Amino acid sequence: MSPVRPACGREALDPHDLKTVLSAEQIARRTAELGAEISARYAGEPLVAVCVLKGAFPFFADLVRHLTCAPELDFLQLASYGTGTCSSGRVVFRKDMDVPVDGKHVLVVEDIVDSGRSMEYLMGVLGNRGPKSLALAALIDKRERREVPVTVDFPGFTLNEGFVVGYGLDWAEQYRELPYVAEVVFRS
Ligand code: IMP
Ligand code: MG
């Protein structure tokens, strides 16, 4: 008798293997460096660090523990229409911030910037709320894939191709729990 296969989860994804591209140790080292850089930049200034859910949650949690500039922390979530391994153009808020940002420095913390469309939208909205300054940190900057001009002020790593998962990044909600980042390699 063949085993009963669940209709969702990893078994439902196209056959693939994972190839580690950023180890947990590499991520930890770079996150500490970024934390020191960000702490120096905002020392003595009012800062709100905001996590873009869901993908940025492990990076945010690790990064803020290196901040010595007494930030306020907040969370927001965007919804971008499209599924699978492609992101799409249309972006809306699913959950907005709670902390007011006027007169404070705002640091948006994102998992990965690809086409740039999500961050173009978000930085535009937050920029209209009167922050003292607005900057972007991202674990991964896929710079060569940019379709709109978005600059990552505090980039963790630059990757150019491939769909990656792990350390918050998902494929159909799978693999966010991995402590490292891996490229999805499809089996032919
Ligand atoms: P953008 O709006 O095209 O810059 O897309 C950004 C969003 O697409 C990210 O916040 C991720 O949620 C998703 N995304 C883009 N590339 C990848 C990837 O390689 N792995 C997982 N998610 C990705
Ligand atoms: Mg994201």
Side-chain angles (χ1 to χ4, degrees), residues 159-187:
L159 295 180
N160 290 326
E161 38 192 275
F163 187 78
V164 288
V165 295
Y167 197 64
L169 292 155
D170 77 306
W171 176 16
E173 300 300 332
Q174 294 290 332
Y175 294 126
R176 290 194 198 273
E177 80 288 359
L178 298 181
Y180 54 87
V181 173
E183 185 180 342
V184 174
V185 182
F186 292 97
R187 286 185 213 138

Short mmCIF file of all heavy atoms in Angstrom, two decimals, residues 159-187:
data_model
loop_
_atom_site.label_atom_id
_atom_site.label_comp_id
_atom_site.label_asym_id
_atom_site.label_seq_id
_atom_site.Cartn_x
_atom_site.Cartn_y
_atom_site.Cartn_z
N LEU A 159 23.17 39.06 -4.00
CA LEU A 159 23.07 37.84 -4.80
C LEU A 159 22.43 38.24 -6.12
O LEU A 159 21.59 39.13 -6.16
CB LEU A 159 22.17 36.80 -4.12
CG LEU A 159 22.62 36.18 -2.80
CD1 LEU A 159 21.57 35.18 -2.32
CD2 LEU A 159 23.96 35.48 -2.94
N ASN A 160 22.83 37.59 -7.20
CA ASN A 160 22.31 38.03 -8.48
C ASN A 160 21.25 37.14 -9.08
O ASN A 160 20.30 37.60 -9.66
CB ASN A 160 23.44 38.26 -9.46
CG ASN A 160 24.23 39.48 -9.05
OD1 ASN A 160 23.65 40.42 -8.52
ND2 ASN A 160 25.53 39.45 -9.23
N GLU A 161 21.40 35.85 -8.94
CA GLU A 161 20.40 35.00 -9.56
C GLU A 161 19.93 33.92 -8.61
O GLU A 161 20.48 33.74 -7.53
CB GLU A 161 20.93 34.39 -10.84
CG GLU A 161 22.39 33.99 -10.74
CD GLU A 161 22.94 33.68 -12.11
OE1 GLU A 161 22.75 32.53 -12.51
OE2 GLU A 161 23.51 34.57 -12.76
N GLY A 162 18.89 33.22 -9.04
CA GLY A 162 18.41 32.09 -8.27
C GLY A 162 17.33 32.49 -7.28
O GLY A 162 17.28 33.63 -6.83
N PHE A 163 16.47 31.54 -6.97
CA PHE A 163 15.42 31.73 -5.97
C PHE A 163 15.94 31.12 -4.68
O PHE A 163 16.35 29.96 -4.65
CB PHE A 163 14.12 31.07 -6.42
CG PHE A 163 12.99 31.38 -5.51
CD1 PHE A 163 12.34 32.61 -5.57
CD2 PHE A 163 12.57 30.46 -4.57
CE1 PHE A 163 11.30 32.92 -4.72
CE2 PHE A 163 11.52 30.75 -3.70
CZ PHE A 163 10.89 31.99 -3.77
N VAL A 164 15.94 31.90 -3.62
CA VAL A 164 16.53 31.43 -2.36
C VAL A 164 15.48 31.31 -1.27
O VAL A 164 14.48 32.04 -1.26
CB VAL A 164 17.70 32.34 -1.90
CG1 VAL A 164 18.91 32.13 -2.80
CG2 VAL A 164 17.29 33.81 -1.87
N VAL A 165 15.73 30.39 -0.34
CA VAL A 165 14.83 30.15 0.79
C VAL A 165 15.66 30.04 2.07
O VAL A 165 16.87 29.86 2.02
CB VAL A 165 14.01 28.84 0.61
CG1 VAL A 165 13.05 28.94 -0.57
CG2 VAL A 165 14.92 27.62 0.47
N GLY A 166 14.95 30.11 3.20
CA GLY A 166 15.60 29.92 4.49
C GLY A 166 15.84 31.24 5.20
O GLY A 166 15.81 32.31 4.60
N TYR A 167 16.07 31.16 6.52
CA TYR A 167 16.30 32.33 7.36
C TYR A 167 15.21 33.38 7.10
O TYR A 167 15.47 34.54 6.85
CB TYR A 167 17.71 32.89 7.10
CG TYR A 167 18.21 33.83 8.18
CD1 TYR A 167 18.44 33.39 9.49
CD2 TYR A 167 18.47 35.16 7.89
CE1 TYR A 167 18.90 34.27 10.46
CE2 TYR A 167 18.94 36.04 8.86
CZ TYR A 167 19.15 35.59 10.14
OH TYR A 167 19.61 36.45 11.10
N GLY A 168 13.97 32.92 7.09
CA GLY A 168 12.82 33.80 6.89
C GLY A 168 12.24 33.77 5.50
O GLY A 168 11.04 33.97 5.31
N LEU A 169 13.08 33.48 4.51
CA LEU A 169 12.60 33.48 3.12
C LEU A 169 11.85 32.19 2.82
O LEU A 169 12.32 31.10 3.17
CB LEU A 169 13.79 33.59 2.17
CG LEU A 169 14.50 34.94 2.20
CD1 LEU A 169 15.94 34.78 1.76
CD2 LEU A 169 13.76 35.93 1.31
N ASP A 170 10.73 32.32 2.15
CA ASP A 170 9.90 31.14 1.92
C ASP A 170 9.69 30.83 0.45
O ASP A 170 9.87 31.67 -0.42
CB ASP A 170 8.51 31.34 2.55
CG ASP A 170 7.63 32.25 1.70
OD1 ASP A 170 8.06 33.37 1.38
OD2 ASP A 170 6.51 31.83 1.34
N TRP A 171 9.27 29.59 0.25
CA TRP A 171 8.67 29.17 -1.02
C TRP A 171 7.34 28.54 -0.61
O TRP A 171 7.34 27.51 0.07
CB TRP A 171 9.56 28.16 -1.72
CG TRP A 171 8.99 27.61 -2.99
CD1 TRP A 171 7.94 28.11 -3.73
CD2 TRP A 171 9.45 26.44 -3.68
NE1 TRP A 171 7.73 27.33 -4.84
CE2 TRP A 171 8.64 26.30 -4.84
CE3 TRP A 171 10.47 25.51 -3.46
CZ2 TRP A 171 8.82 25.26 -5.75
CZ3 TRP A 171 10.63 24.48 -4.37
CH2 TRP A 171 9.82 24.36 -5.50
N ALA A 172 6.24 29.22 -0.94
CA ALA A 172 4.91 28.76 -0.54
C ALA A 172 4.84 28.46 0.96
O ALA A 172 4.32 27.43 1.38
CB ALA A 172 4.48 27.55 -1.36
N GLU A 173 5.39 29.37 1.78
CA GLU A 173 5.40 29.28 3.26
C GLU A 173 6.30 28.17 3.80
O GLU A 173 6.34 27.95 5.01
CB GLU A 173 3.99 29.15 3.84
CG GLU A 173 3.07 30.32 3.52
CD GLU A 173 3.57 31.66 4.03
OE1 GLU A 173 4.30 31.69 5.06
OE2 GLU A 173 3.28 32.68 3.41
N GLN A 174 7.05 27.50 2.94
CA GLN A 174 7.98 26.48 3.40
C GLN A 174 9.38 27.05 3.55
O GLN A 174 9.74 28.00 2.86
CB GLN A 174 8.03 25.32 2.40
CG GLN A 174 6.71 24.55 2.29
CD GLN A 174 6.41 23.73 3.54
OE1 GLN A 174 7.31 23.30 4.26
NE2 GLN A 174 5.13 23.51 3.80
N TYR A 175 10.16 26.46 4.41
CA TYR A 175 11.60 26.70 4.59
C TYR A 175 11.97 27.96 5.37
O TYR A 175 13.15 28.25 5.52
CB TYR A 175 12.33 26.73 3.23
CG TYR A 175 12.35 25.41 2.50
CD1 TYR A 175 11.89 25.29 1.20
CD2 TYR A 175 12.84 24.26 3.13
CE1 TYR A 175 11.92 24.09 0.51
CE2 TYR A 175 12.88 23.05 2.46
CZ TYR A 175 12.41 22.97 1.15
OH TYR A 175 12.45 21.77 0.50
N ARG A 176 10.98 28.72 5.90
CA ARG A 176 11.35 29.93 6.64
C ARG A 176 12.21 29.62 7.86
O ARG A 176 12.96 30.45 8.33
CB ARG A 176 10.08 30.66 7.14
CG ARG A 176 9.24 31.30 6.05
CD ARG A 176 8.24 32.26 6.67
NE ARG A 176 7.14 32.60 5.80
CZ ARG A 176 7.16 33.60 4.91
NH1 ARG A 176 8.24 34.34 4.76
NH2 ARG A 176 6.10 33.85 4.17
N GLU A 177 12.06 28.39 8.41
CA GLU A 177 12.73 28.05 9.68
C GLU A 177 14.20 27.68 9.53
O GLU A 177 14.90 27.54 10.53
CB GLU A 177 11.98 26.87 10.34
CG GLU A 177 12.30 25.49 9.78
CD GLU A 177 11.74 25.22 8.38
OE1 GLU A 177 11.07 26.09 7.80
OE2 GLU A 177 11.99 24.11 7.86
N LEU A 178 14.69 27.52 8.29
CA LEU A 178 16.09 27.12 8.12
C LEU A 178 17.02 28.19 8.71
O LEU A 178 16.78 29.38 8.51
CB LEU A 178 16.44 26.94 6.64
CG LEU A 178 15.68 25.87 5.85
CD1 LEU A 178 16.19 25.84 4.41
CD2 LEU A 178 15.83 24.51 6.51
N PRO A 179 18.10 27.79 9.39
CA PRO A 179 19.02 28.79 9.96
C PRO A 179 20.01 29.34 8.94
O PRO A 179 20.87 30.14 9.29
CB PRO A 179 19.73 28.00 11.07
CG PRO A 179 19.64 26.58 10.66
CD PRO A 179 18.39 26.41 9.84
N TYR A 180 19.92 28.89 7.69
CA TYR A 180 20.83 29.34 6.62
C TYR A 180 19.99 29.68 5.39
O TYR A 180 18.78 29.42 5.37
CB TYR A 180 21.84 28.23 6.29
CG TYR A 180 21.19 26.91 5.97
CD1 TYR A 180 20.79 26.60 4.67
CD2 TYR A 180 20.93 25.97 6.98
CE1 TYR A 180 20.16 25.39 4.38
CE2 TYR A 180 20.30 24.76 6.70
CZ TYR A 180 19.92 24.49 5.40
OH TYR A 180 19.29 23.32 5.11
N VAL A 181 20.63 30.26 4.36
CA VAL A 181 19.93 30.58 3.11
C VAL A 181 20.41 29.62 2.03
O VAL A 181 21.63 29.42 1.87
CB VAL A 181 20.19 32.05 2.69
CG1 VAL A 181 19.61 32.33 1.30
CG2 VAL A 181 19.59 33.02 3.72
N ALA A 182 19.47 29.04 1.30
CA ALA A 182 19.81 28.06 0.27
C ALA A 182 19.10 28.41 -1.04
O ALA A 182 18.00 28.96 -1.04
CB ALA A 182 19.41 26.66 0.71
N GLU A 183 19.78 28.06 -2.14
CA GLU A 183 19.16 28.24 -3.45
C GLU A 183 18.34 27.01 -3.79
O GLU A 183 18.76 25.88 -3.52
CB GLU A 183 20.26 28.44 -4.51
CG GLU A 183 19.69 28.75 -5.88
CD GLU A 183 20.78 28.96 -6.94
OE1 GLU A 183 21.94 29.19 -6.58
OE2 GLU A 183 20.42 28.86 -8.13
N VAL A 184 17.17 27.23 -4.38
CA VAL A 184 16.32 26.12 -4.84
C VAL A 184 16.84 25.70 -6.21
O VAL A 184 16.90 26.51 -7.14
CB VAL A 184 14.85 26.58 -4.95
CG1 VAL A 184 14.00 25.48 -5.58
CG2 VAL A 184 14.31 26.97 -3.58
N VAL A 185 17.25 24.44 -6.31
CA VAL A 185 17.74 23.90 -7.59
C VAL A 185 16.72 22.87 -8.07
O VAL A 185 16.54 21.84 -7.41
CB VAL A 185 19.14 23.25 -7.44
CG1 VAL A 185 19.64 22.75 -8.77
CG2 VAL A 185 20.12 24.24 -6.80
N PHE A 186 16.06 23.17 -9.16
CA PHE A 186 15.01 22.28 -9.66
C PHE A 186 15.63 21.06 -10.32
O PHE A 186 16.64 21.17 -11.03
CB PHE A 186 14.10 23.01 -10.64
CG PHE A 186 13.29 24.08 -9.95
CD1 PHE A 186 13.70 25.40 -9.95
CD2 PHE A 186 12.14 23.73 -9.24
CE1 PHE A 186 12.96 26.36 -9.28
CE2 PHE A 186 11.41 24.70 -8.57
CZ PHE A 186 11.83 26.01 -8.58
N ARG A 187 15.01 19.89 -10.06
CA ARG A 187 15.48 18.65 -10.68
C ARG A 187 14.84 18.55 -12.06
O ARG A 187 13.64 18.75 -12.18
CB ARG A 187 15.07 17.44 -9.86
CG ARG A 187 15.90 17.31 -8.59
CD ARG A 187 15.55 16.02 -7.86
NE ARG A 187 15.66 16.23 -6.43
CZ ARG A 187 14.81 15.78 -5.52
NH1 ARG A 187 13.75 15.08 -5.88
NH2 ARG A 187 14.99 16.03 -4.26
#
